[in-house]
Amino acid sequence: MFFEKKVDLRSKRAMVDFLCGHYRYYTMNSWNRTTSYANRIKIPYLGLTREQANRAYDILDTDYWDELQFVIDDFTSEMDGNYTIGVNGRSGGYLVLYRGEYYDPGYKSQCRACGQLNYQAVSGEVGQCGRCRKTERVNLARPLRWHRATGRGIDDDLDADDLMDLSVSALRDKVELVCRFDRACDEIRSAFIDLIDNCKVVEETVMVPKTVRRIVCAAA
Ligand SMILES: [Zn+2]
């Protein structure tokens, strides 16, 4: 447990202190002022050894986030899409708890050849693709269900007195949500440390040509 805290769920005072004392960060930009519960994930604040920290900086300019996204996906589906976790701040130094929602992006058809989505439905069986020009565009069987975070703040309009006025069960719901968020942040930190300890950065020249830095992990 690095970010996660034990909170006494029988005590209103303890729950309010936890919520009021939790680190917060902006959900959008600092000028927008809306904030939510957050944790700092800048390298110096992750509790790493000096050797781990040096290797961490090496990993930061690779595609490493692909290896951590599963934690956020699990959290989002466990929350039925009502909450998710995003990265915010210059150079992404903060994990922020966001409100979220599933939505239909509005696409009606898709090309079977190249995957291009289209807002127009096909009138017959199959239509032409606007991108690859092949006659492979077919209607979607059902609307797509995508997920997005909203920029609305969480509890940034409540002070300690407002929170004390809530019922015990309403407070518990809030604390359990934030504790679950902290636990997900711990899982992200652990997955990141696994990368540092078990992976090395390799440079590859791809045919663009340009040199990309990839992260390569030992087989699990
Ligand atoms: Zn196509």
Side-chain angles (χ1 to χ4, degrees):
M1 277 171 47
F2 185 78
F3 295 116
E4 196 186 357
K5 303 274 182 305
K6 274 254 176 289
V7 184
D8 183 355
L9 294 174
R10 294 161 308 181
S11 158
K12 275 183 110 171
R13 187 78 257 168
M15 291 193 284
V16 170
D17 286 349
F18 167 72
L19 292 171
C20 289
H22 201 285
Y23 196 82
R24 302 186 67 87
Y25 196 72
Y26 303 109
T27 56
M28 293 188 274
N29 304 303
S30 53
W31 49 262
N32 194 281
R33 297 274 151 219
T34 60
T35 67
S36 177
Y37 301 99
N39 282 308
R40 235 173 358 176
I41 51 164
K42 290 173 190 274
I43 302 290
Y45 302 111
L46 281 179
L48 305 178
T49 66
R50 196 153 78 184
E51 195 202 339
Q52 282 175 327
N54 287 336
R55 298 181 48 135
Y57 285 110
D58 210 30
I59 279 177
L60 286 187
D61 43 284
T62 69
D63 52 359
Y64 74 101
W65 197 261
D66 295 350
E67 310 291 326
L68 311 179
Q69 183 62 35
F70 75 97
V71 179
I72 294 178
D73 294 344
D74 285 353
F75 177 84
T76 307
S77 62
E78 196 181 314
M79 295 291 142
D80 293 323
N82 294 317
Y83 296 95
T84 187
I85 298 170
V87 179
N88 201 11
R90 212 160 27 147
S91 71
Y94 305 87
L95 289 172
V96 181
L97 177 65
Y98 283 92
R99 291 181 198 277
E101 63 194 7
Y102 290 111
Y103 70 103
D104 171 8
Y107 294 110
K108 300 287 187 256
S109 61
Q110 184 169 30
C111 174
R112 288 184 299 205
C114 74
Q116 173 89 338
L117 289 160
N118 195 300
Y119 288 111
Q120 306 299 323
V122 179
S123 51
E125 283 276 291
V126 69
Q128 192 185 37
C129 172
R131 182 162 73 184
C132 72
R133 297 280 152 204
K134 292 190 180 135
T135 310
E136 287 286 350
R137 190 160 62 86
V138 295
N139 287 331
L140 295 171
R142 66 188 70 81
L144 295 174
R145 193 166 174 256
W146 288 5
H147 188 269
R148 65 185 164 204
T150 75
R152 283 186 297 151
I154 299 181
D155 296 350
D156 50 354
D157 51 347
L158 301 176
D159 63 18
D161 290 337
D162 298 326
L163 289 168
M164 278 309 274
D165 288 342
L166 295 176
S167 69
V168 173
S169 71
L171 267 178
R172 259 182 214 153
D173 287 347
K174 286 187 182 299
V175 169
E176 280 168 358
L177 168 65
V178 177
C179 284
R180 181 65 188 84
F181 163 71
D182 287 342
R183 196 156 74 242
C185 293
D186 278 342
E187 288 167 22
I188 291 169
R189 174 177 172 270
S190 302
F192 184 65
I193 290 173
D194 274 355
L195 285 184
I196 294 170
D197 290 344
N198 300 315
C199 303
K200 63 180 196 292
V201 174
V202 294
E203 291 200 346
E204 285 178 356
T205 305
V206 291
M207 273 315 288
V208 179
K210 97 183 198 213
T211 302
V212 294
R213 290 156 65 80
R214 284 228 166 78
I215 191 158
V216 174
C217 304

